[in-house]
Amino acid sequence: MKYNVAVIPGDGIGPEVIEETIKVLKIIGEKFGHRFDYEYVLAGGCAIDKEGTPLPEETLEICKKSDAVLLGAVGGPKWDDPTAKIRPEQALLGLRGALNLYCNLRPAVLYAPLKNESPLKDSIVKDGIDICIVRELTGGIYFGERGLETVDGVKSAYDTERYNVKEITRIAKIGFETAMKRNKKLTSVDKANILESSRLWRSVVNDMAKDYPEVEVNHLYVDNAAMQLVKDPNQFDVIVTSNIFGDILSDEASMVTGSIGMLPSASLGEGTLGMYEPIHGSAPDIAGKGIANPLATILSAAMMLRYSFSLDEEAKVIENAVLAVLEDGYRTGDIMTEGKKKVGTVEMGKLVCKKIEA
Ligand code: NAD
């Protein structure tokens, strides 16, 4: 099979981690007889510099026509002025909107060899952590009506959390489907004791549960979910939640794993076109030094194979290779501990390739 991938290396360490990921995909292509064709496009700070806009029209068109988008990271101090009208991250929002990517899948996985990276105690982490957070991405309070007004002479501001049944249904479905592919346990997180929108959310999830009798469903209020994530993260399999709650909980979950350089993500929509990127940023402090951890981006490519191309076996081969390299004791600086073998970006990429070839 032939797959067209739009590649956005972006800024900072983006190009470095993307380069290693493309090498990994090359080996996968050779091993399984697939052809990946790449179109490299500009977005983020480098696009502002070259084209005057973070998301050039050409980039958008190529992404729309491709089978998947693979992104490194965008941003950096050069473009970080919060008052600037044009900012690199507008490229991400623009892409999600234009490609109608309403779901963000954020696995929070702590591989057993990296147990010590977690800030949580051994007795809590046990043999690692493996949670998948399904976050609604294009609705809720981040997109609801907002305003600034003066009421009775006092300045006030408001934002609106609004969800309709259609929006909840499509994200809940991804939650159930993801649970079916994993350990068949789904936790829906809301604030139904207070918010009307959460009560609608909960009723839609409960209705859908009837179509997935194999999935064990429970509901947690978001405050409790935040506590449970640090108290006993292994109680979770898949968490489905709204845009704002997912934003906060997925960052909390990634901290629990303790290794930002290891975590991939996927943004999905109605069809098979998705956007895949590591959760970390452009890490300007280490850009160009050859020390960035490429594993989050390599694991994002594995998600691309699984979710956009339905290549489950190939995805698993990449994930197993990453685990095997960690088991062999190789570490980039960000996950380095005493007694392990320190490697740079390129060497880490090579090690994963070798494991896949073996
Ligand atoms: P960051 O994730 O770039 O870096 C945070 C810390 O983690 C830094 O010390 C960095 O060196 C380290 N780190 C991150 N990824 C690493 C990797 N793969 N290997 C080794 N170490 C790694 O977050 P930040 O410093 O808050 O942001 C830097 C820039 O990135 C900002 O301009 C921000 O806007 C942008 N950003 C972009 C994205 C994205 O493209 N999706 C996400 C977050 C931040």
Side-chain angles (χ1 to χ4, degrees), residues 40-327:
Y40 282 75
V41 286
L42 287 178
C46 54
I48 295 178
D49 286 353
K50 275 215 172 131
E51 312 273 336
T53 167
L55 184 58
E57 199 53 43
E58 192 197 2
T59 297
L60 194 53
E61 285 315 309
I62 288 173
C63 289
K64 276 184 182 167
K65 276 192 268 167
S66 58
D67 298 317
V69 180
L70 186 62
L71 181 135
V74 298
K78 187 175 171 191
W79 311 279
D80 256 356
D81 175 4
T83 59
K85 283 225 163 69
I86 299 176
R87 293 173 51 84
E89 56 270 31
Q90 288 164 349
L92 303 179
L93 295 176
L95 277 166
R96 284 176 193 159
L99 304 178
N100 198 18
L101 305 175
Y102 60 81
C103 167
N104 190 221
L105 277 192
R106 284 259 303 249
V109 177
L110 176 60
Y111 290 96
L114 295 181
K115 270 172 63 157
N116 293 336
E117 295 299 316
S118 174
L120 301 182
K121 287 185 211 153
D122 263 13
S123 58
I124 294 177
V125 170
K126 298 191 182 98
D127 292 329
I129 295 169
D130 186 357
I131 305 170
C132 187
I133 299 190
V134 179
R135 167 189 168 194
E136 202 288 326
L137 205 55
T138 53
I141 197 162
Y142 292 173
F143 291 87
E145 192 192 334
R146 72 193 57 189
L148 200 56
E149 59 189 16
T150 300
V151 180
D152 298 332
V154 182
K155 199 171 177 184
S156 70
Y158 65 94
D159 301 275
T160 319
E161 173 85 346
R162 176 186 283 271
Y163 272 109
N164 64 40
V165 168
K166 215 173 127 194
E167 289 168 319
I168 305 169
T169 302
R170 64 185 187 180
I171 193 75
K173 190 164 183 344
I174 295 191
F176 278 101
E177 293 290 340
T178 308
M180 284 298 287
K181 287 189 190 141
R182 293 172 45 104
N183 295 320
K184 301 193 170 71
K185 190 170 175 214
L186 181 68
T187 302
S188 174
V189 172
D190 60 36
K191 191 69 183 168
N193 49 344
I194 297 182
L195 302 177
E196 199 58 53
S197 51
S198 280
R199 285 192 275 273
L200 182 64
W201 181 284
R202 197 176 272 221
S203 75
V204 171
V205 171
N206 280 336
D207 281 349
M208 194 173 286
K210 293 168 197 146
D211 300 333
Y212 294 89
E214 285 174 65
V215 178
E216 182 195 332
V217 181
N218 71 328
H219 302 271
L220 285 185
Y221 297 140
V222 63
D223 39 353
N224 189 16
M227 288 192 283
Q228 296 300 326
L229 265 174
V230 287
K231 191 172 167 230
D232 179 17
N234 284 312
Q235 72 181 280
F236 296 110
D237 177 23
V238 178
I239 293 175
V240 64
T241 191
S242 65
N243 202 342
I244 186 168
F245 296 159
D247 188 6
I248 299 163
L249 291 180
S250 57
D251 269 10
E252 186 190 357
S254 55
M255 271 321 292
V256 159
T257 70
S259 37
I260 194 172
M262 293 293 306
L263 298 176
S265 80
S267 299
L268 310 171
E270 287 304 345
T272 54
L273 172 58
M275 185 159 93
Y276 301 85
E277 58 183 309
I279 71 153
H280 60 70
S282 59
D285 52 332
I286 58 165
K289 295 187 178 160
I291 57 172
N293 186 347
L295 295 178
T297 314
I298 290 172
L299 291 167
S300 301
M303 290 188 86
M304 174 177 85
L305 298 184
R306 178 173 292 122
Y307 292 102
S308 279
F309 307 158
S310 289
L311 299 175
D312 275 17
E313 188 190 345
E314 290 82 339
K316 200 77 209 144
V317 165
I318 295 180
E319 288 158 355
N320 287 342
V322 167
L323 177 59
V325 169
L326 295 173
E327 276 169 348

